[in-house]
Amino acid sequence: AATNANETQSGSSSSSNLRLAGRAAVPNAALDVVLAPVTGRIESPLVNPGETVKAGQALARLHSAEVLAMQRDLVSARAAADVARSRAERDEALFADGIIARNRLIESRAARDDAEAQLREHQQLLRLAGLSDGAINRIHSAADISPLLTVSARRAGTGLQQSTGPGQAVAAGDPLFQIAALDHLWLELQATR
């Protein structure tokens, strides 16, 4: 960057041309590193470096056996929670009629609560992997599961760097993209006197 500076020494004014080495930098608050949420393989990047992206826009499709297993576990947890709820309801009715002991009712309630907690845990794991609530709610059987996961941008900005390419294997936590809001940049200059 070139800057004209007026220097005053001993009351005299002189004009000089001052050149400083520097670079533009993105402030940390404006930078977002998009990480792979699970282990898998990049099927296809959907944006290029330099492109403007919107919050929620798809950045890449990831093929993941881990996501497939997580969805399968969710299907099992849904089935177990349904069975536990039915047993608890049946035992409520049997206890009200005086047919079963209170201990059995307490056990069936505890089993229902445990199954529902496990179901919520599997739902949360899929949310952390990047699935939306709508996608999670549509998973009810083995026919509903898929190994494909779409990784989306959390914020709007410009794609600065793409760290992976098609077919590349990634582990959970590996960087995929850097996205930055470029409306405010810092200028870092090197100056000595």
Side-chain angles (χ1 to χ4, degrees):
T3 305
N4 287 328
N6 288 327
E7 295 181 1
T8 303
Q9 292 182 3
S10 304
S12 66
S13 178
S14 66
S15 178
S16 67
N17 193 5
L18 180 64
R19 292 186 184 269
L20 299 174
R23 69 182 185 98
V26 178
N28 287 337
L31 184 63
D32 189 19
V33 178
V34 179
L35 305 175
V38 292
T39 299
R41 187 168 304 280
I42 300 295
E43 183 177 88
S44 58
L46 302 173
V47 297
N48 296 306
E51 277 187 46
T52 301
V53 298
K54 299 175 184 172
Q57 180 177 339
L59 300 175
R61 272 195 301 273
L62 187 68
H63 192 276
S64 173
E66 186 178 346
V67 168
L68 194 64
M70 292 166 77
Q71 292 174 74
R72 185 187 63 238
D73 291 345
L74 176 67
V75 170
S76 296
R78 277 195 204 284
D82 288 344
V83 168
R85 277 187 219 107
S86 293
R87 284 184 180 155
E89 288 173 8
R90 183 196 65 215
D91 286 354
E92 294 276 356
L94 292 173
F95 179 74
D97 292 340
I99 297 173
I100 63 169
R102 182 166 182 72
N103 282 349
R104 180 167 154 185
L105 175 62
I106 291 170
E107 288 172 2
S108 65
R109 285 176 177 169
R112 176 199 62 204
D113 293 347
D114 183 54
E116 288 179 351
Q118 288 184 32
L119 174 59
R120 286 190 299 274
E121 176 186 355
H122 289 293
Q123 291 169 331
Q124 187 60 31
L125 287 171
L126 284 167
R127 280 187 199 97
L128 290 172
L131 268 70
S132 68
D133 286 339
I136 292 168
N137 291 335
R138 287 190 292 272
I139 300 170
H140 290 283
S141 71
D144 301 326
I145 65 176
S146 169
L148 292 179
L149 175 69
T150 301
V151 179
S152 301
R154 291 184 298 265
R155 70 183 316 165
T158 301
L160 296 184
Q161 183 179 7
Q162 177 181 324
S163 305
T164 59
Q168 185 173 345
V170 294
D174 284 353
L176 302 178
F177 294 94
Q178 282 187 4
I179 296 176
L182 299 179
D183 48 350
H184 295 317
L185 297 176
W186 288 354
L187 189 56
E188 296 176 350
L189 301 173
Q190 297 175 0
T192 59
R193 182 155 194 170

